[in-house]
Amino acid sequence: MKADGKKYLKNYAMIFLGCALYALAFDWCFEPNAIGFGGITGLAQIANHFFPQVNIGLWVILFNLPLFLVGWRLFGTHMLISSLVAMAISSLMLDALALLVDFPPMEDTLMACIAGGVLLGLSLGIIFLQGATTGGTEIIARLLKLKFSWLPMGKCLLAADLTMVALVALVFRNLGTALYGTVGIYLSTVVMDKVLYGMDTAKVAYIISDKPEEIAHTILHKLDRSFTYLHGEGGYMGTEKKVILCAFKQREIVAIKETIRRVDPNAFMIVTSAHEVLGEGFGSYKIDAL
């Protein structure tokens, strides 16, 4: 099999996994515990309540079709196809899993809410990483992302989903449905952002020392990390200082600290978390990145 074939096979295998987790989150945690579900699936819950002869999964497909027509011109053919596949699989799995397994309500609704939120966030993160969506508010969130590129994907999705949760609660006249749904969706956005952005966690260190050259030499040759000199001035004495700026992976933080301690125990160091680091040794910028 050619490299491209293997890539697409892996891509759709991960989409299938994400869809399975999505269906499990809804059928196991949200639906039997009367927890409001956001997005088009939440809208499908409402439609199914009034027209129970049509399954939730089929309602999801019907509501998604016009959104996909809008998204097609904006996202291109590849995303359209992969998203249609993800939407169809997740919708069919919603109905199939509900037919195969009769999930009873959990004794603790809060635990159902937490488990559902984690599963939902994990599923959406996996699907988004493959360049696909399950349709619905995910498409709306991507449209918001195009307009507000600085917003994390999870926050865009949260804004769209909370509106739908409020509508679900209004229809079913159950405030608890909305409150638990809000918690579940918030958890899902946190988990999803971790899947999308948190796997590439990095740190940035600012190091001020009387031995900047020695520390920089050790960082460069012993830890194989580059650095940048920033020119500063001491606030008390007014002396010129070389400030070392160094980006590194999360797993390297202990080695960095130990290196600086050995060279200069009195060095002043500030370590901060970096949301995203691009360049040699890290990621690369992509114009259509999430």
Side-chain angles (χ1 to χ4, degrees):
M1 186 182 292
K2 295 182 178 179
D4 286 346
K6 290 182 179 179
K7 178 183 176 182
Y8 283 117
L9 184 61
K10 180 181 177 182
N11 181 255
Y12 284 103
M14 294 302 293
I15 288 175
F16 185 87
L17 173 62
C19 290
L21 292 174
Y22 184 92
L24 183 63
F26 181 79
D27 287 335
W28 178 39
C29 301
F30 284 87
E31 176 69 8
N33 295 282
I35 298 173
F37 200 85
I40 292 299
T41 307
L43 186 59
Q45 275 184 298
I46 296 173
N48 178 256
H49 174 72
F50 291 109
F51 304 98
Q53 61 270 28
V54 180
N55 293 332
I56 290 177
L58 183 55
W59 277 120
V60 170
I61 294 174
L62 293 174
F63 287 136
N64 266 306
L65 289 178
L67 288 171
F68 273 103
L69 290 176
V70 174
W72 169 59
R73 294 185 178 274
L74 294 167
F75 303 132
T77 305
H78 170 68
M79 182 179 171
L80 175 69
I81 294 173
S82 58
S83 295
L84 280 171
V85 170
M87 185 268 291
I89 292 175
S90 60
S91 301
L92 292 172
M93 280 188 170
L94 283 176
D95 290 339
L97 190 59
L99 287 173
L100 292 172
V101 184
D102 184 18
F103 290 105
M106 295 186 187
E107 293 183 5
D108 190 337
T109 307
L110 181 60
M111 290 305 298
C113 176
I114 293 172
V118 171
L119 284 172
L120 179 61
L122 186 59
S123 69
L124 293 178
I126 291 172
I127 292 170
F128 284 168
L129 281 177
Q130 312 313 311
T133 78
T134 57
T137 48
E138 288 89 337
I139 291 180
I140 297 172
R142 279 184 176 268
L143 294 175
L144 288 173
K145 182 72 174 175
L146 291 176
K147 182 70 175 177
F148 306 102
S149 58
W150 49 272
L151 276 175
M153 190 64 182
K155 300 299 184 294
C156 294
L157 192 59
L158 181 63
D161 276 340
L162 287 180
T163 304
M164 193 56 62
V165 168
L167 183 59
V168 170
L170 187 63
V171 170
F172 290 102
R173 298 180 180 181
N174 188 337
L175 182 60
T177 292
L179 294 177
Y180 280 119
T182 301
V183 173
I185 289 173
Y186 176 75
L187 283 174
S188 74
T189 62
V190 172
V191 173
M192 183 175 66
D193 280 343
K194 284 294 182 183
V195 174
L196 292 176
Y197 311 115
M199 299 301 183
D200 191 30
T201 54
K203 298 288 185 182
V204 174
Y206 298 89
I207 306 158
I208 303 171
S209 169
D210 292 330
K211 303 176 181 179
E213 288 83 5
E214 292 180 45
I215 291 177
H217 181 274
T218 306
I219 290 174
L220 183 62
H221 295 284
K222 295 295 177 72
L223 301 179
D224 196 28
R225 276 289 166 204
S226 187
F227 63 90
T228 299
Y229 279 133
L230 304 178
H231 295 282
E233 181 180 322
Y236 182 68
M237 299 293 293
T239 55
E240 289 190 0
K241 294 280 187 180
K242 280 186 176 180
V243 180
I244 299 171
L245 170 66
C246 179
F248 53 93
K249 298 290 181 67
Q250 170 74 39
R251 62 179 178 272
E252 297 172 319
I253 188 169
V254 174
I256 291 283
K257 288 180 178 179
E258 283 295 319
T259 295
I260 294 168
R261 184 187 63 80
R262 284 196 299 268
V263 177
D264 183 5
N266 296 317
F268 185 78
M269 181 172 70
I270 301 172
V271 179
T272 64
S273 296
H275 173 68
E276 198 169 13
V277 179
L278 305 175
E280 186 176 353
F282 293 91
S284 57
Y285 175 73
K286 296 178 182 177
I287 195 166
D288 60 344
L290 294 171

